[in-house]
Amino acid sequence: MDLVLCDAVMNEVATGRTAPLLELSHVLAHHRNHDALNVDAMATRFPYLGPGEINVLAWAVHLKKLGRPYRCVLDDKRARRAADALQVQKTGTIGLLRFLEEHEILSKDERLEVEAILKRTGFYYSE
């Protein structure tokens, strides 16, 4: 399954404690733009979203059309609503952490530690 992350989420994950583990992983696919992506149309439809979120959504639509398993990693409420409007699969940072645990990239203790840090720093998520 491809995990499609917006730039902001990728930067948060890449600069945190999990960065060395992610470098060893093939779970996070690096996707480059190409002509099949309809980034401009996505930006026109959702002008309030940033370029990273637009790119993630464009990739999700593309991967969905190809029938490839994927999941968008989006935390922004408006981006998540856009994903719902496009009927594409999504998850957030907590979902990403749980995915990494399921694939044995993070241990349960590491995941819980990162979640505790996020809570202490004011990161909001519903249980």
Side-chain angles (χ1 to χ4, degrees):
M1 170 185 306
D2 286 315
L3 287 175
V4 184
L5 292 88
C6 68
D7 295 338
V9 173
M10 190 61 186
N11 288 338
E12 286 174 26
V13 172
T15 59
R17 269 193 71 192
T18 58
L21 296 169
L22 294 176
E23 289 172 10
L24 300 174
S25 168
H26 300 288
V27 173
L28 301 176
H30 181 80
H31 294 296
R32 299 193 185 279
N33 287 353
H34 58 74
D35 293 340
L37 292 183
N38 205 341
V39 176
D40 292 336
M42 195 70 62
T44 299
R45 182 170 178 187
F46 304 106
Y48 48 85
L49 296 179
E53 292 151 336
I54 293 294
N55 194 271
V56 166
L57 293 170
W59 268 105
V61 168
H62 179 70
L63 292 171
K64 181 179 176 181
K65 284 180 185 174
L66 294 177
R68 287 185 48 191
Y70 69 92
R71 183 129 331 156
C72 294
V73 181
L74 301 162
D75 284 324
D76 180 82
K77 190 174 192 176
R78 295 180 301 176
R80 293 173 70 83
R81 285 186 182 149
D84 288 340
L86 295 167
Q87 298 180 334
V88 295
Q89 296 178 12
K90 66 184 182 310
T91 193
T93 298
I94 301 303
L96 171 62
L97 293 172
R98 291 178 180 159
F99 180 89
L100 294 173
E101 178 189 352
E102 289 170 17
H103 288 82
E104 300 178 347
I105 297 164
L106 289 178
S107 69
K108 181 177 182 178
D109 289 341
E110 289 170 321
R111 177 187 58 83
L112 292 172
E113 181 181 349
V114 173
E115 286 183 18
I117 291 167
L118 289 172
K119 282 182 181 179
R120 283 195 307 271
T121 59
F123 185 86
Y124 172 80
Y125 66 95
S126 57
E127 297 283 340

